[in-house]
Every structure is written in structure tokens, then in C-alpha cells.
Amino acid sequence: MAEENATATENKKRRRRHIVLTSHPSGRNKTSVPIQWGAKTAQARGPIIGSTTDPDKRNAIGTHSGSYSIYLALAIASGALDPEHRPDLTNTRPTTIIGPHQQWFNPKSIVSLDPFGHQIAEVFSEELKAGYDIRPSIAITKAQMQLPELQFAIKEGTLKPDGKVLLESGDIIITKAAIEPVWYLPGIAERFGVELSELRRILFEHTGGMFPELVTRPDLNVLLPPIGGVTLYLFGDLETIPDPTVPLTVRVHDECNGSDVFGSDICTCRPYLVYGITSCVETAQKGGAGVIAYFRKEGRALGEVTKFLVYNARKRQEGGDTAKNYFERTECVAGVQDVRFQELMPDVLHWLGITRIQEFVSMSNMKYDAVVRSGISIDKRVTIPDDMIPPDAQVEMQAKKAAGYFTDGRIPDSVELRSTRGRHWEDKTDKTNKTNKTE
Ligand SMILES: [Zn+2]
């Protein structure tokens, strides 16, 4: 304990005594390490420097680690973390080579992540040696995955282990990549059809003035936003992912912690995720590959507090929770139905070098349109089978079909929308008879 206190005291001593205002750099208004987004080589593009150990070399607004940067700041405040600490990257290199792909060098194809984020140690080795504090924004590793649903499918005989992608034990062999957001602001502005200065001002104002450089440093065009990133789960022969002639299955999934992890049955998120993974495994078994892109965009990127408020508003409204009023309730609470902005989502698919998707597991038109608009073709859209939809999630499902989401089934009429009701809190759904007692 005494030793810990000594470290903390030492760490605290190393904290700066004067305030460094990143908004007004010493003696100049231009970064010494310019970034040329979309340049032909990593060297010409330049490293993204968001670390705070050397303020003069910073060329990005914000800091690394997304929302976790706040915890790191707390760790420095408490003395647990040395403010001068630099990561030791020995043996951290990716387990799989990804890229480079042609989309990496098109400034319009990728605007929300750093395509070289996983290659820092190799492409910027000279700069690292020269003392530049460059940090990875992407990490790639290998893992085995165990899902009860897939183990059940093996027992039922609907999925067959192959010893390569899916083991006898039910374990799935995967590669996964964690990606932090790195926003090239001129590209983001263009995607949304808004003036760059307008975007910068609004981002500044509506984060409570969190990043003054948004309005004071026009020379800094890269923002490391304090938001969640995306995790890729990759199945099968990864070298085939960019090959348009080899089958590829993709599911783009936006986080829903309540369903994905805890099995809450008001929505179809976990069933969709499981169905997406199953489809990826099947395609991988046929010699192709599968991609699950898991975005941290909880509750349509409105957050869980808004989401739970909406659940209550849905259940308590006059006439109960009906498919007819499904979307309206979210808008009443949040002022908007959805802020996931799928416009930025295809970046991660371009990072993988994808040009064609044979099977796209989703009923969302927003996701489909964004992918196709970005220049990736989709052969076939796939929705989950009806028997995978939990009873209370019929409200969401019917509302989505009526609102124009993709379905190869029937579109519900207004009578059905009114009669598709969710469970009330007092009701208990007994999964064994599959009926919803309020109906
Ligand atoms: Zn959900």
C-alpha cells in the first residue's frame, strides 16, 4: 500500500502545473504534423496524433480511447496513471493482415476511421523512433466464441461442425477487430450535406463547448469523438472478403445491450444477431466469409435512458403498446426517431475492402440504402425467420414492416397494426405456449 501511494504521489508530481490551451498553440496557428486525408501512402497521409504528452505535435481534436478518455483523465487526477505514460506496443501487432485496399486512398470512401489505425507500429516506425506519441486506433485479435443458440443448433442437427470454422464443441473460430472513431471533419460534413464551419460550430456548441479547437483551429480537421466505436467479428477465410466472386454474408448490428446480452424480449436484436452469426458461419463453411459489424449505438444511438423512457411511454399510452404507435413514441421523448446515421456505417465495410455482399442480413432500409449508396452492391437481403421473433417483439416487427422496412412476407394493414399489442408489465409471457396473454 505504501508503495502504491508513493507511485501515486510520483504520478501526481508529473502532472502539469500550468494549463495548456490546445485552442491556441504556442507561437503559431498551424500544426507541425499536417494530415492529408486519403493520400496515396500512409507516409503522405501522416500520423494522427491525439495524445496529450506532447501538445505541440497534436494534429487531432480530442483524445484517443473514445468515451474512455474521461476515465483516463480521472486516473491521472487520482494519481493512478502517469500523465507521461506511453504505451509499450511490443507484440501487440494484428493477428491478421487487413489491407491496404484501394478504398483507403479515396478521401471520400472512408471518413470516420483511420484505415492505418492498426498499422501504426509499422507504417510510422520512424516517427515513433523520433519520439512522436502515435497511438493505435484499431486492434485486431483472434478468439473462440461460444453461443448457446449455436450449440443448440448443432444438437438439433441444423448446423454441422466442420472442425475449422465451427468445432465439435460448438466453439466458433473468429478474428475480431476493435475500431475507435477517427473523424475527418470535411468528409463528415460532405456526407451530411452541411457546411464544414456549420458542422464544427454545432459540434462545439452542443457538446457544451467541450472542444474549443472545433471553432478556433481550422488547421485541425480530424476529431477523435468521445463516442463508442465498432467491433468486427470475422468468420471464415478473411482473404476472400474483398473478392467479389466469393460469397460474403454481412450483418451490421447496432448495440442493444438489453437484448444482445441480457435476453430482454421486447425487441428482435439478439435473435437477429444470432441469425446473422449463424448465416456468417454457414457462408464461411462454404468457403466464403462472414462479417458482423457491431456498432456501439445503443437505443438507436439515443442511449438507454431514452430507450427505457420510450418503453414506459409505449406501455402506458392509451390503448396499450401497439405497432401503430411504435415510432411515434420515440419521437415524443427524443424529438427524433433515430440518430444512428447509417451514412457513416459503410466506412468499416470499405476498410475491409468489400465491394459486393452476397447476403445482407437486415430488414433496415436505412442500412441497405447507405451500403448501396456508398458503392457496395448487395445481391440478396435476408430477414430472420418468424419463429425467432419473441412474442413481445411483434409490436416492433409489425411496425417496421408497415413503415417500409424490408420483408419478404406480408405487410400488415392498419387493423393489424392496432391489434398487434405488446405485453403489459402485469402480464407474464410463458415461452412454452408462445402466446401473448394480452392478445
Ligand atoms: Zn433491441
Side-chain angles (χ1 to χ4, degrees), residues 400-412:
K400 284 184 170 176
K401 284 181 193 170
Y405 277 61
F406 174 75
T407 172
D408 39 22
R410 229 173 41 77
I411 297 162

Side-chain angles (χ1 to χ4, degrees), residues 112-344:
S112 63
L113 62 90
D114 174 8
F116 307 104
H118 57 311
Q119 296 180 335
I120 299 309
E122 40 181 300
V123 295
F124 299 120
S125 59
E126 288 304 311
E127 288 83 351
L128 283 166
K129 255 187 248 155
Y132 287 63
D133 187 6
I134 309 161
R135 310 223 172 159
S137 59
I138 299 178
I140 305 170
T141 189
K142 278 186 181 170
Q144 283 186 212
M145 214 161 88
Q146 297 179 329
L147 283 175
E149 287 94 336
L150 267 72
Q151 285 165 337
F152 183 72
I154 293 175
K155 277 200 196 96
E156 292 276 287
T158 50
L159 258 186
K160 297 213 182 336
D162 57 85
K164 214 174 131 200
V165 179
L166 183 63
L167 308 184
E168 227 29 82
S169 57
D171 289 37
I172 313 157
I173 307 297
I174 51 152
T175 289
K176 53 183 182 177
I179 303 172
E180 282 171 11
V182 177
W183 285 9
Y184 177 58
L185 292 170
I188 303 266
E190 199 182 318
R191 283 280 169 98
F192 290 98
V194 56
E195 284 292 323
L196 177 59
S197 56
E198 181 81 349
L199 173 73
R200 295 181 70 125
R201 187 178 58 79
I202 292 171
L203 282 173
F204 167 70
E205 282 176 357
H206 292 273
T207 52
M210 199 168 183
F211 301 111
E213 304 101 303
L214 283 166
V215 289
T216 62
R217 295 286 306 271
D219 60 313
L220 301 182
N221 270 321
V222 170
L223 169 69
L224 306 177
I227 58 173
V230 53
T231 311
L232 294 176
Y233 286 80
L234 309 171
F235 307 76
D237 184 357
L238 307 191
E239 282 183 19
T240 70
I241 292 176
D243 185 343
T245 65
V246 180
L248 176 68
T249 292
V250 173
R251 159 92 189 141
V252 173
H253 193 90
D254 295 323
E255 177 178 32
C256 172
N257 189 264
S259 170
D260 294 345
V261 179
F262 290 95
S264 166
D265 74 341
I266 196 168
C267 57
T268 52
C269 299
R270 183 175 171 97
Y272 246 114
L273 186 59
V274 169
Y275 187 64
I277 292 168
T278 308
S279 305
C280 284
V281 167
E282 285 170 340
T283 306
Q285 287 181 325
K286 285 181 221 149
V291 174
I292 302 284
Y294 191 89
F295 282 84
R296 295 317 191 297
K297 290 180 186 169
E298 179 59 66
R300 298 196 204 130
L302 293 162
E304 259 194 336
V305 170
T306 297
K307 185 178 188 174
F308 291 5
L309 294 174
V310 171
Y311 286 161
N312 283 352
R314 275 172 56 185
K315 302 274 180 195
R316 284 194 181 116
Q317 70 190 322
E318 207 179 318
D321 183 18
T322 63
K324 186 180 161 284
N325 296 325
Y326 172 77
F327 284 105
E328 209 180 283
R329 286 296 104 197
T330 307
E331 201 163 344
C332 290
V333 177
V336 56
Q337 285 182 4
D338 196 316
V339 290
R340 283 175 290 178
F341 295 114
Q342 302 298 350
E343 287 88 341
L344 300 177

Side-chain angles (χ1 to χ4, degrees), residues 53-54 82-89 128 131-135:
T53 51
D54 185 355
D82 176 357
E84 298 296 321
H85 171 78
R86 293 187 178 205
D88 173 3
L89 297 176
L128 283 166
Y132 287 63
D133 187 6
I134 309 161
R135 310 223 172 159

